[in-house]
């Protein structure tokens, strides 16, 4: 254990992470409530993503964990210790900032060594060398940040934080400034490094694909509260709110009414057609619901053809738009009651694609149906995923 | 033949108009400096030697010959150094507080700091004199009263200059330092101060030249003490000794050297070494 300026929380030199608990934390800026009574639990060693549109409070949450903002109420507990009142430099937590915030007056070597020098760590040279190896920047040690590309700067920021072996590493939109290709490469790289060092990562992002690629657990945030948290497949397959259904991927939401329920099997009626939903996890038990299904889970059949048992089927749709996007074809189908549905079909070539004006039936599995409380706005979160 | 040639000349003039104007402006700006340098080598015929009569190194070899010249230069340098030193420390800290901290009256402080810059020097000088006299310091006018006055007016310029540098500095750099275990002092010493430094240095240079140069406020509050601008003013009545041009040339060369040195230093620092 290395000693440090604040003796309260010496950083663990044993590697590994620690459980992070956020207990009922609220943050107000004047009258504006950025984070509202938020509680979450990040288990040790997890890769945890806070996903949300800009202004949803995710960065504020991260900054409170880092100690850069003070909660208006609530507690932050790390590995059993209450760190709510500690200064940023007293916490065994490091941050990769969105803009990287590399020190422009210091070389890459000194940037990476910054934390070690403060904690009077031994063998600075060896450790910095190893860390630069890990992020593949050994040859750049004597350069200045301004002489590096965006991707290289990003890796320096990561190295500068990781070298301190924090118990929790916070990443604030770490890949936001990179172009698409580099972002993809860095996502895999970050995941690899996290697995290698075993430190708890908390990753703030507005990019749902990024969150799904990297995180074990995703918490979707909206307006200062967590809408839902779970594994990527859990969130995607069983969204609990319309916001999650629309923000994470795309969803078709049809108005329906519950007719029957046995265990986790629910039968709902959508404009006179019975639709079965199995493995329903949401709390809605009766009354009006949104019946949801993902566009790629729906298959199209020529009107009246291709019946299969156990499938939900909405008949008599009309194809009103077809766009070919290489790997798939995206259809917009209008149902007899006027609602438009999106359908993505793989271009397997099994049958010729439909064209505008074709009459089609839509089919999908009961397993792929989810039910949401009808009191929610069906369009919540629909147009948010690409901003920020 | 001549038509072609004249078109050629006109075309050349057209293409180089900006360059020519630029050189003319530079010439206009530098003429007084050239005159000072030239006159420092003048061997005047009489005492009122404003004509260049002949070349000599006598002025350079006997700088301190005119009565009180070197003493006044010494006074000016001493005051400028001390006033700049104190004003730079105070002003930089003030700028830091005004950019990085929220406190009651920050807006007012921001406005007030402009006032000494905006008010005419003669007003400042005379009100300072009134202040010193009222404080029963009339008999002690001299080095310290001038020093206090110079710190006062240099302060505004330093605060403004350093503030400009600080406002352009990303506060996340300091947050990153804090995140990397640097406490408040270490963050200031390792990150904020080095990044403020270019602003502080230019503020100090500006302050030095303002103080060294100041005549109006100094003249009113200096009592028996003579500074270099006061010496020049005094001797202008009876004929300026050529050595004044020598001092002027030396000051110019020093300033030039500092600017070039700074540029060179930056070039070296920013050169990649690997």
């Amino acid at each position: 254990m290395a000693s440090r300026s604040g003796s309260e929380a010496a950083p663990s030199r044993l590697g590994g992470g620690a459980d992070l608990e956020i207990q009922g934390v609220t943050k107000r800026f004047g009258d504006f409530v950025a984070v509202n009574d938020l509680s979450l639990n990040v288990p040790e060693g997890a890769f945890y993503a806070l996903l949300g549109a800009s202004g949803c409070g995710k960065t504020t949450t991260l900054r409170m964990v880092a100690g850069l903002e003070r909660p208006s109420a609530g507690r932050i507990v790390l590995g059993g210790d209450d760190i709510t009142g500690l200064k940023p430099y007293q916490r065994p937590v490091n941050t990769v900032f969105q803009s990287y915030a590399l020190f422009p007056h210091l070389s890459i070597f000194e940037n990476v060594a910054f934390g070690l020098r403060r904690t009077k760590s031994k063998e600075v040279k060896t450790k910095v060398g190893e860390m630069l190896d890990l992020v593949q920047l050994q040859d750049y040690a004597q350069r200045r940040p301004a002489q590096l590309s965006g991707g290289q700067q990003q890796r320096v920021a990561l190295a500068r934080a990781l070298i301190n072996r924090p118990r929790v590493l916070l990443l604030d939109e770490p890949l936001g400034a990179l172009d698409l290709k580099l972002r993809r490469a860095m996502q895999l790289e970050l995941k690899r490094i996290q697995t290698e060092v075993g430190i708890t990562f908390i990753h703030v992002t507005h990019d749902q694909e990024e969150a799904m690629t990297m995180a074990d657990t995703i918490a979707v945030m909206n307006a200062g509260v967590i809408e839902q948290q779970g594994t990527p497949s859990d969130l995607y397959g069983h969204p609990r709110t319309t916001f999650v259904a629309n923000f994470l991927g795309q969803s078709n939401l049809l108005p329906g009414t519950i007719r029957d329920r046995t265990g986790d099997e629910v039968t709902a009626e959508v404009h006179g057609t019975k639709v079965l939903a199995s493995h329903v996890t949401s709390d809605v038990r009766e009354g009006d619901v949104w019946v949801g299904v993902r566009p790629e889970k729906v298959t199209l059949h020529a009107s009246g053809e291709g019946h299969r048992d156990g499938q939900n089927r909405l008949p008599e749709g009309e194809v009103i738009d077809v766009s070919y996007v290489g790997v798939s074809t995206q259809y917009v189908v209008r149902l007899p009651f006027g609602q438009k549905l999106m359908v993505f079909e793989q271009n397997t070539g099994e049958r010729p694609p439909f064209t505008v004006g074709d009459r089609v039936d839509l089919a999908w599995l009961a397993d792929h149906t989810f039910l949401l409380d009808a009191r929610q706005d069906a369009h919540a979160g629909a147009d948010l995923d690409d901003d920020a | 033949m001549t038509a072609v040639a004249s078109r050629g000349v006109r075309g050349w003039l057209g293409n180089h108009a900006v360059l020519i104007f630029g050189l003319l402006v530079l010439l206009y700006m530098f003429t007084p400096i050239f005159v000072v340098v030239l006159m420092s080598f003048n061997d005047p015929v009489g005492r009122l030697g404003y004509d260049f009569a002949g070349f000599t190194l006598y002025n350079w070899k006997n700088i301190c010959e005119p009565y009180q010249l070197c003493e006044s230069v010494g006074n000016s340098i001493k005051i400028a150094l001390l006033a700049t030193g104190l004003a730079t420390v105070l002003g930089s800290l003030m700028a830091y507080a005004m950019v990085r901290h929220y406190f009651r009256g920050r807006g007012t402080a921001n406005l007030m700091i402009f006032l000494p810059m905006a008010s005419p020097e003669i007003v400042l000088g005379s009100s300072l004199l009134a202040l010193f006299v009222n404080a029963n310091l009339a008999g002690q006018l001299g080095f310290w009263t001038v020093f206090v006055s110079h710190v006062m007016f240099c302060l505004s310029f330093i605060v403004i200059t350093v503030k400009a540098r600080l406002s352009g500095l990303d506060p996340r750099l300091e947050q990153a330092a804090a995140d990397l275990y640097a406490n408040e002092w270490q963050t200031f010493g390792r990150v904020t101060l080095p990044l403020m430094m270019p602003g502080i240095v230019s503020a100090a240079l500006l302050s030095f030249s303002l103080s060294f140069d100041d005549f109006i406020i100094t003249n009113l509050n200096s009592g028996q003490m003579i500074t270099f601008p006061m010496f020049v003013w005094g001797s202008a009545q009876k004929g300026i000794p050529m050595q004044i041009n020598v001092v002027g040339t030396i000051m110019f060369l020093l300033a030039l050297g500092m600017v070039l040195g700074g540029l060179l230093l930056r070039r070296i620092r920013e050169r990649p070494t690997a």
Side-chain angles (χ1 to χ4, degrees):
Chain A
M1 295 280 237
S3 72
R4 52 195 304 191
S5 30
S7 56
E8 299 94 319
S12 164
R13 295 287 149 187
L14 307 170
D19 283 2
L20 176 79
E21 282 171 72
I22 297 180
Q23 302 171 347
V25 162
T26 296
K27 177 66 186 179
R28 285 181 217 96
F29 295 105
D31 289 338
F32 175 69
V33 182
V35 176
N36 194 0
D37 194 21
L38 180 108
S39 292
L40 56 85
N41 199 333
V42 183
E44 180 174 340
F47 199 132
Y48 192 94
L50 274 175
L51 175 67
S54 57
C56 73
K58 58 191 194 298
T59 295
T60 307
T61 307
L62 198 75
R63 289 173 60 85
M64 286 191 287
V65 176
L68 299 169
E69 303 282 358
R70 207 162 253 260
S72 311
R75 297 202 321 151
I76 297 168
V77 178
L78 180 64
D81 304 323
D82 187 339
I83 60 166
T84 319
L86 294 186
K87 302 263 190 186
Y89 52 84
Q90 294 168 325
R91 303 179 180 212
V93 169
N94 290 115
T95 310
V96 176
F97 288 81
Q98 183 173 12
S99 54
Y100 315 140
L102 300 179
F103 305 122
H105 59 300
L106 300 178
S107 65
I108 299 308
F109 182 95
E110 284 304 325
N111 262 282
V112 175
F114 195 91
L116 295 182
R117 297 226 191 274
R118 300 288 84 72
T119 51
K120 307 265 190 296
S121 175
K122 300 269 186 307
E123 295 157 356
V124 171
K125 206 165 174 194
T126 329
K127 285 182 182 168
V128 173
E130 283 169 12
M131 195 44 75
L132 288 176
D133 272 350
L134 182 72
V135 296
Q136 294 159 15
L137 286 172
Q138 354 11 7
D139 301 336
Y140 295 86
Q142 292 315 314
R143 301 234 185 149
R144 300 270 169 151
Q147 294 164 336
L148 266 56
S149 72
Q152 291 169 331
Q153 291 185 23
Q154 203 282 329
R155 283 182 277 157
V156 176
L158 183 66
R160 185 179 70 171
L162 268 183
I163 197 168
N164 306 295
R165 295 268 156 182
R167 300 176 77 180
V168 176
L169 182 77
L170 307 174
L171 302 123
D172 184 7
E173 302 264 6
L175 309 178
L178 306 180
D179 63 56
L180 192 68
K181 228 173 165 174
L182 198 52
R183 202 151 69 209
R184 294 273 176 278
M186 282 307 297
Q187 286 172 5
L188 300 175
E189 187 72 8
L190 268 178
K191 184 72 195 163
R192 175 183 71 78
I193 291 172
Q194 197 263 340
T195 319
E196 208 171 303
V197 297
I199 291 173
T200 312
F201 275 33
I202 298 181
H203 177 201
V204 155
T205 181
H206 68 274
D207 182 340
Q208 40 128 338
E209 222 177 302
E210 190 173 300
M212 296 225 254
T213 311
M214 293 194 281
D216 323 316
T217 310
I218 298 177
V220 178
M221 269 190 91
N222 181 32
V225 297
I226 290 184
E227 291 263 334
Q228 187 180 349
Q229 61 174 319
T231 63
S233 62
D234 208 27
L235 286 186
Y236 190 80
H238 302 283
R240 298 278 196 91
T241 66
T242 55
F243 183 88
V244 175
N246 290 321
F247 189 73
L248 214 65
Q250 287 172 295
S251 293
N252 294 306
L253 298 178
L254 299 152
T257 312
I258 293 185
R259 292 289 176 228
D260 185 32
R261 175 165 189 142
T262 39
D264 61 359
E265 298 239 329
V266 179
T267 310
E269 193 181 311
V270 178
H271 287 272
T273 308
K274 288 242 158 59
V275 173
L276 186 70
S278 51
H279 301 111
V280 172
T281 53
S282 61
D283 305 328
V284 279
R285 310 222 152 245
E286 52 187 13
D288 291 341
V289 286
W290 293 114
V291 176
V293 62
R294 299 286 187 181
E296 78 283 1
K297 303 285 200 272
V298 182
T299 51
L300 292 180
H301 304 277
S303 210
E305 291 176 18
H307 271 284
R308 229 176 286 165
D309 280 345
Q311 273 194 326
N312 290 318
R313 198 166 175 106
L314 285 175
E316 292 301 312
E318 183 193 355
V319 175
I320 58 168
D321 189 53
V322 181
S323 29
Y324 175 79
V325 292
V327 293
S328 65
T329 303
Q330 305 193 348
Y331 297 96
V332 179
V333 178
R334 187 168 53 210
L335 293 170
F337 47 91
Q339 191 172 356
K340 292 168 191 160
L341 257 62
M342 279 178 302
V343 178
F344 302 162
E345 278 202 327
Q346 296 286 310
N347 293 322
T348 54
E350 265 181 39
R351 57 160 172 66
F354 292 102
T355 54
V356 174
D358 284 353
R359 295 276 157 184
V360 290
D361 291 353
L362 299 89
W364 69 92
L365 296 173
D367 259 357
H368 292 151
T369 313
F370 52 87
L371 300 177
L372 306 169
D373 192 331
R375 281 168 298 186
Q376 301 173 76
D377 175 12
H379 299 289
D383 300 316
L384 287 171
D385 56 345
D386 280 331
D387 66 353
Chain B
M1 189 73 189
T2 47
V4 171
S6 87
R7 197 181 306 146
V9 169
R10 216 181 294 163
W12 188 89
L13 280 176
N15 289 336
H16 296 82
V18 174
L19 180 71
I20 292 166
F21 273 114
L23 287 175
L24 282 174
V25 169
L26 283 181
L27 185 71
Y28 176 56
M29 285 169 68
F30 287 142
T31 303
I33 295 170
F34 291 143
V35 170
V36 167
V37 175
L38 185 70
M39 292 307 262
S40 73
F41 296 106
N42 188 18
D43 188 7
V45 183
R47 280 176 59 86
L48 280 163
Y50 290 108
D51 303 319
F52 193 79
F55 181 87
T56 178
L57 288 176
Y58 179 84
N59 307 323
W60 282 83
K61 285 177 182 156
N62 302 279
I63 299 178
C64 289
E65 187 193 59
Y67 176 61
Q68 282 192 327
L69 170 64
C70 282
E71 187 196 332
S72 70
V73 172
N75 284 338
S76 280
I77 289 176
K78 221 188 313 178
I79 288 169
L81 281 179
L82 286 174
T84 297
L86 184 61
T88 304
V89 172
L90 285 178
S92 301
L93 292 175
M94 281 167 75
Y96 178 72
M98 285 158 94
V99 174
R100 281 292 185 260
H101 294 280
Y102 292 88
F103 53 88
R104 240 147 118 72
R106 188 170 80 148
T108 320
N110 262 321
L111 186 71
M112 302 282 270
I113 204 72
F114 261 109
L115 286 182
M117 276 170 84
S119 27
E121 266 202 69
I122 189 75
V123 176
L124 281 183
S126 50
S127 58
L128 275 167
L129 179 61
L131 175 77
F132 289 137
V133 171
N134 277 315
N136 279 327
L137 291 170
Q140 276 126 53
L141 287 180
F143 184 85
W144 291 108
T145 50
V146 172
F147 168 74
V148 169
S149 318
H150 282 207
V151 170
M152 187 274 301
F153 74 75
C154 286
L155 210 51
S156 318
F157 289 93
I158 286 173
V159 172
I160 304 285
T161 314
V162 176
K163 247 179 68 183
R165 171 81 193 174
L166 261 175
S167 323
L169 217 87
D170 189 348
R172 274 170 296 197
L173 292 173
E174 284 146 300
Q175 292 168 6
D179 188 64
L180 293 164
Y181 314 126
N183 63 28
E184 288 84 353
W185 288 105
Q186 291 168 330
T187 299
F188 185 79
R190 302 277 167 173
V191 175
T192 317
L193 192 61
L195 290 172
M196 278 167 83
M197 219 18 121
I200 294 177
V201 169
S202 48
L205 289 177
L206 177 68
S207 158
F208 183 88
S209 68
L210 282 171
S211 165
F212 187 84
D213 212 28
D214 182 72
F215 176 72
I216 302 175
I217 294 177
T218 314
N219 197 33
L220 284 160
N221 294 289
S222 62
Q224 298 299 310
M225 189 191 59
I226 289 183
T227 63
F228 181 63
M230 289 168 70
F231 174 83
V232 176
W233 171 250
S235 49
Q237 321 283 323
K238 36 192 202 311
I240 290 184
M242 288 305 118
Q243 281 84 349
I244 284 176
N245 295 308
V246 177
V247 174
T249 307
I250 292 173
M251 294 308 294
F252 169 69
L253 289 177
L254 275 178
L256 194 69
M258 273 195 256
V259 171
L260 287 180
L263 268 176
L264 208 67
L265 203 69
R266 200 182 322 158
R267 285 267 170 85
I268 292 169
R269 269 202 204 150
E270 279 169 11
R271 187 180 302 155
T273 46

